[in-house]
Amino acid sequence: MTNIEKTLRISIYLIKPEYESDEEILENIDDYDKYKIKISGHDDATLFVARSKSKVPDWTYIFDDIDWNKYKISNIAGVLLSKFDDRYFAIPFNTGRYFLKREACVDKFGFKVVVNSVNPNTIKIIQKKSISKNPKLSKEQITKDSSLGEFNIDYYTDFVSSIKATSTDLELGKKLEGKNSLKLLLPFKLNDLPSLLQKCLRLYSDTGYKANFPYIDNIADVTDPEVKSKLIIELENQINTNRISNIWTAIPDFEDERSLYYHYSKGTDKKSPLIHHDISLDEFLKEKKLGVHGKPVTYNSLKSRKVFINLGENNIYPKWSILNCLYAELYLDSKLFVLIEGKWYQPDKDFVSYIDSKLEQIPIFETDFPIWNKSIKEGTYIKNEFKNSKDYCIMDAKNIKLPGQTPIEVCDLISKNRQLIHIKRYSSSSTLSHLFSQGLNSCELLIKNQNFRKLANKKLHKDFRVSETNFDSRKFTVIYLIGTKFRDDWKMPLFSRITLVRAYEDLIAFGFKVMKGQIQME
């Protein structure tokens, strides 16, 4: 019989260089048993172990006639801290990853090791994040090995954060997966650890991946301490004055099926923490009495305050800092900076220049629409100003529902001159991005779906109806109008500008003309 070598699935985290002690790296360090581990040629390693209280699964209560005490089990978790070449590494076991302070771990360590050590045409799984509108995290899997191009990534708004692919280095195992941690499946012995960590550190620092993954670095890290300090001050000021339209929150990582809900505190024996089924910056500030609700917010408080996850049976763990859940777009000295998961980024200036140059190519629609009172909602403004118009037909809120699709408006107004007008007051990045995307989606349906055109005509006055059998997009102009008190100012949030440019490019390709304009608000 052939002996099958036993393999072990491990995750490796790289610790930031400024974290130089066990106490700085681990949460609640006094809760763990501590063991010095001997490794050949490497003696600075410590294993931290904890055992949970014995319990039975929560589903047993429905069988109340059975004595479950003899079936009580406890969970053993641990994390190995090893120092190599003046850098700490952490290798957790079971739920030992919750021992680690999230802020102590290097972001994208596993991801950079993976892209430097896999065949780019053998990708099976990716995790990507879209921050064009609401932050959206998605995980995609393809049945056979593929390149990144097969995953339909939009490099304007999608950021690949995790990849699983075939390794080109068998010392790392056959398949690699990495995000913040590096996940390996390989025959593992403690004495192999020094050479493995040395290789991982080298791969993390390598920039060779750019040849195979040229679009991965569309956004650069902010490393200048002075710039970081100014950005931190600006972030604090905006939160404390409740200017949070371009600051929002989102869960930064996937959780398993046991994750039931979230808390902003762990609670006490006498008082359970408030339950949240999602996270919200406004709810956090209210609950903790911070910002306009109480004490000023500081950057350090955003780092130290935690979002806790509840896995059921009162298993509550500190998972992320509030800072790691924040997304923000801030301007400093007329330069755009983006805060993502506790890190500051500056978009590539050529990329931003390209977007802005495309934005300037979109012609201006000089409108004579009445002034929009800022206290009036969009739908009310449209109804009040155009309900008796002979030149415009109101389509606002007249949604069309196709089988298997969400309802969608054709536009807000359609003119006799075949102008499809979409209107929105100046607001957050997500709101404006939705406006631009909706205009594109409705036009695509007008071109491709005859049933959509028929349903649209049922809602249109006869003088404004479109051809159901021979629709010609070249005769139509899509106009995006933004209600704003800032005349001739097109400094929209970056990802709104990106969405508008992408909509513009696609609409032009479909044959439509595109214009942008403003409605004065007072």
Side-chain angles (χ1 to χ4, degrees), residues 365-370 392:
F365 178 70
E366 299 292 348
T367 176
D368 57 356
F369 283 8
Y392 297 94

Side-chain angles (χ1 to χ4, degrees), residues 25-37:
I25 298 169
L26 299 177
E27 299 274 9
N28 307 317
I29 192 167
D30 293 333
D31 293 348
Y32 316 126
D33 295 325
K34 182 177 178 180
Y35 300 91
K36 282 291 183 181
I37 303 300

Side-chain angles (χ1 to χ4, degrees), residues 30-52:
D30 293 333
D31 293 348
Y32 316 126
D33 295 325
K34 182 177 178 180
Y35 300 91
K36 282 291 183 181
I37 303 300
K38 294 182 179 180
I39 300 175
S40 178
H42 181 72
D43 58 2
D44 194 356
T46 307
L47 179 66
F48 296 84
V49 181
R51 179 194 297 270
S52 64

Side-chain angles (χ1 to χ4, degrees), residues 207-262:
T207 59
Y209 67 91
K210 294 182 179 182
N212 292 324
F213 303 99
Y215 303 108
I216 291 295
D217 292 328
N218 258 352
I219 292 183
D221 293 341
V222 176
T223 57
D224 188 322
E226 184 177 347
V227 175
K228 282 185 178 180
S229 179
K230 291 180 180 179
L231 287 168
I232 288 169
I233 293 172
E234 180 63 20
L235 179 69
E236 292 172 344
N237 288 340
Q238 292 202 15
I239 293 177
N240 285 320
T241 55
N242 206 36
R243 292 177 291 137
I244 57 176
S245 60
N246 282 332
I247 305 171
W248 59 101
T249 51
I251 299 300
D253 208 348
F254 278 108
E255 285 303 315
D256 60 35
E257 295 176 352
R258 298 177 298 164
S259 301
L260 302 179
Y261 31 76
Y262 308 95

Side-chain angles (χ1 to χ4, degrees), residues 357-374:
S357 66
K358 280 289 184 179
L359 190 66
E360 291 179 0
Q361 293 177 20
I362 305 176
I364 299 294
F365 178 70
E366 299 292 348
T367 176
D368 57 356
F369 283 8
I371 291 175
W372 184 346
N373 188 314
K374 64 181 181 180

Side-chain angles (χ1 to χ4, degrees), residues 398-460:
K398 296 180 180 179
N399 291 328
I400 296 173
K401 180 71 170 69
L402 294 175
Q405 298 190 30
T406 56
I408 187 172
E409 296 175 348
V410 175
C411 55
D412 292 310
L413 293 170
I414 184 170
S415 74
K416 283 185 176 179
N417 295 328
R418 297 180 180 177
Q419 296 166 327
L420 304 171
I421 302 173
H422 299 265
I423 300 174
K424 190 72 65 179
R425 72 166 64 214
Y426 187 93
S427 186
S428 65
S429 176
S430 61
T431 301
L432 295 177
S433 295
H434 176 75
L435 170 72
F436 306 138
S437 295
Q438 181 174 269
L440 172 61
N441 294 336
S442 65
C443 285
E444 188 171 1
L445 287 170
L446 283 172
I447 292 175
K448 297 180 179 180
N449 195 305
Q450 185 179 25
N451 189 38
F452 183 79
R453 298 193 294 270
K454 288 181 179 180
L455 293 173
N457 280 337
K458 290 182 179 180
K459 299 177 182 292
L460 285 165

